[in-house]
Amino acid sequence: MTQVQPTVQPKLVVTRFGFNRYAERFNGRAAMVGFAALLIIEYITGQNPLAALGLVIN
């Protein structure tokens, strides 16, 4: 028995929501910016980021 092939190809819509390459790339870039900001805060204040926010670390 032969398999029947579809006659119409579905249109694949690229969305910017959910798990896709755009979301993963954006998340990675946001993480890099946040990490760089933490390093800059630590360099400027001379304290770790939690101490700069006023949180006590034992």
Side-chain angles (χ1 to χ4, degrees):
M1 181 185 289
T2 61
Q3 293 183 347
V4 178
Q5 297 295 324
T7 58
V8 178
Q9 293 291 332
K11 276 189 165 180
L12 296 177
V13 179
V14 177
T15 178
R16 292 191 176 227
F17 298 103
F19 294 105
N20 57 33
R21 286 185 175 210
Y22 175 77
E24 294 298 320
R25 188 176 302 132
F26 182 77
N27 188 25
R29 289 177 181 165
M32 288 185 276
V33 168
F35 185 73
L38 286 175
L39 290 176
I40 292 168
I41 289 171
E42 187 170 354
Y43 180 75
I44 290 173
T45 63
Q47 302 174 357
N48 64 38
L50 293 178
L53 291 173
L55 300 174
V56 177
I57 301 172
N58 293 334

